[in-house]
Amino acid sequence: MAAKNSSVTEFILAGLTDKPELQTPLFFLFLGFYMVTVLGNLGLILLIVLDSHLHNPMYFFLFNLSIIDLSYSTTITPKMLMSFISKKNMIMHAGCMTQFFFFCFFVISESFVLSAMAYDRYVAICNPLMYTVTMSPQVCLHLLLGVYTMGFAGAMSHTGSIMSLTFCSENLVNHFMCDILPLLELSCNNSFAHELELFIVVAIGIGIPTVTIFVSYALILSVILHISSAEGRSKAFSTCSSHVIVVSLFFGSGAFMYLKPPSIMPLDEGKVSSLFYTIVVPMLNQLIYSLRNKDVKIALRKALDKKIFS
């Protein structure tokens, strides 16, 4: 149902492009991306569950990262695909708010789970003798509870702010999803307070994990530089490389989208940034961890060998 202070009961999502000749190619392109995301993340989840050698804190967090990637891609992509094949891609007010809530929940949760993974790498490299104690199952569960608590708090804050907006008559959302900036653009009340809330919550959602990650890797780098053997340094770097790439892709695109005022970056340009971290990053994460991780490749080879011989 629509908010009590709004006359808009449904929105029209403009989609990624209004050029007819691009609709079909883009539909199949992003359908392919989504299939790779679903199959890749489900495969990684099953691999971690089935292989006992992957039952450790690093893969516990990777397991949750794959669940989050799969979930928030599913929150966005199917509706986006509709915009390529529908003349008017409608979404009810309640559906728009629901999509926005889960999008915020999964994106903020991902930023914090990436920071938990950075802390895990810090403990593994800087204090390996105490790793099993420091990263005990109880500690991992508490960290994960913190991850989802921050995700829920951030999503509630953003959604509450959006639901308090007044939408008078215009209902065309210049985006392929219900995101905060295009919805603020449609609002007919003063959006300064809402933009301030957006900046503060996003600064917390990105700032705290970013500081955690930078501090963790500063300490990791300090330890690595004191390792005498080149082989030891190379091994230490290799354990962090996949995570560093994933962090750079996710936080880079997210910061580019949300840490600039809307007046500086047009929404059409913001669509491209949103496209990257909602569609491309969830697909790339599992590929990066699968192709660059020795343990995952060994587990995959063992699983395939069992399948062949059975």
Side-chain angles (χ1 to χ4, degrees):
M1 57 186 295
K4 290 181 180 179
N5 61 340
S6 175
S7 62
V8 173
T9 59
E10 60 186 15
F11 295 101
I12 301 172
L13 297 176
L16 192 62
T17 179
D18 57 359
K19 296 181 179 179
E21 66 273 14
L22 294 178
Q23 302 288 354
T24 301
L26 287 175
F27 172 81
F28 285 106
L29 174 65
F30 291 114
L31 178 62
F33 281 0
Y34 183 58
M35 291 176 66
V36 172
T37 301
V38 171
L39 294 175
N41 281 293
L42 282 177
L44 194 55
I45 289 167
L46 289 173
L47 203 61
I48 293 171
V49 169
L50 296 176
D51 196 308
S52 59
H53 293 95
L54 302 181
H55 293 178
N56 58 52
M58 175 181 173
Y59 294 102
F60 171 75
F61 292 118
L62 181 56
F63 172 85
N64 281 276
L65 178 65
S66 291
I67 290 176
I68 291 169
D69 279 339
L70 177 61
S71 299
Y72 91 75
S73 181
T74 300
T75 300
I76 302 301
T77 311
K79 193 63 181 172
M80 187 194 76
L81 291 173
M82 290 294 295
S83 67
F84 296 123
I85 58 177
S86 301
K87 290 185 178 180
K88 282 189 177 181
N89 187 22
M90 311 292 294
I91 184 169
M92 299 302 294
H93 185 282
C96 187
M97 296 301 106
T98 301
Q99 184 192 58
F100 179 68
F101 172 83
F102 282 107
F103 166 69
C104 292
F105 174 73
F106 291 121
V107 169
I108 296 171
S109 296
E110 173 143 346
S111 69
F112 279 93
V113 84
L114 288 172
S115 67
M117 293 171 77
Y119 176 70
D120 171 73
R121 291 300 82 205
Y122 155 73
V123 176
I125 293 173
C126 300
N127 200 5
L129 296 180
M130 295 295 293
Y131 180 73
T132 55
V133 175
T134 306
M135 298 302 295
S136 65
Q138 292 80 9
V139 171
C140 291
L141 286 173
H142 285 136
L143 285 172
L144 192 65
L145 179 62
V147 164
Y148 290 124
T149 298
M150 293 302 294
F152 180 78
M156 286 295 293
S157 176
H158 280 319
T159 308
S161 176
I162 286 297
M163 291 187 72
S164 68
L165 293 174
T166 302
F167 302 102
C168 301
S169 58
E170 181 64 40
N171 68 339
L172 178 62
V173 180
N174 185 20
H175 215 293
F176 56 82
M177 65 177 183
C178 290
D179 201 1
I180 194 165
L181 295 181
L183 289 173
L184 283 174
E185 190 180 61
L186 288 184
S187 172
C188 51
N189 50 354
N190 192 336
S191 64
F192 174 77
H194 298 282
E195 289 180 12
L196 181 63
E197 180 273 339
L198 165 67
F199 185 83
I200 292 172
V201 175
V202 171
I204 293 172
I206 291 180
I208 293 176
T210 300
V211 170
T212 303
I213 290 167
F214 268 105
V215 170
S216 297
Y217 276 107
L219 295 171
I220 288 170
L221 185 61
S222 175
V223 169
I224 290 176
L225 293 176
H226 286 86
I227 297 176
S228 56
S229 69
E231 183 182 351
R233 287 195 298 271
S234 176
K235 184 178 180 180
F237 275 121
S238 67
T239 63
C240 303
S241 60
S242 297
H243 183 256
V244 170
I245 294 171
V246 168
V247 165
S248 301
L249 291 172
F250 179 77
F251 283 98
S253 57
F256 182 78
M257 176 66 185
Y258 292 108
L259 292 184
K260 286 184 178 182
S263 57
I264 294 178
M265 184 176 67
L267 282 178
D268 287 338
E269 187 179 330
K271 285 184 191 181
V272 178
S273 179
S274 298
L275 187 71
F276 191 76
Y277 72 83
T278 56
I279 310 297
V280 179
V281 169
M283 178 187 69
L284 291 179
N285 283 354
Q286 44 85 22
L287 292 175
I288 291 167
Y289 274 103
S290 300
L291 298 176
R292 295 182 58 88
N293 190 295
K294 181 181 176 182
D295 292 335
V296 171
K297 287 191 284 188
I298 291 173
L300 179 60
R301 195 177 299 117
K302 285 165 59 179
L304 291 175
D305 288 343
K306 286 182 180 178
K307 182 70 176 177
I308 292 169
F309 284 117
S310 64

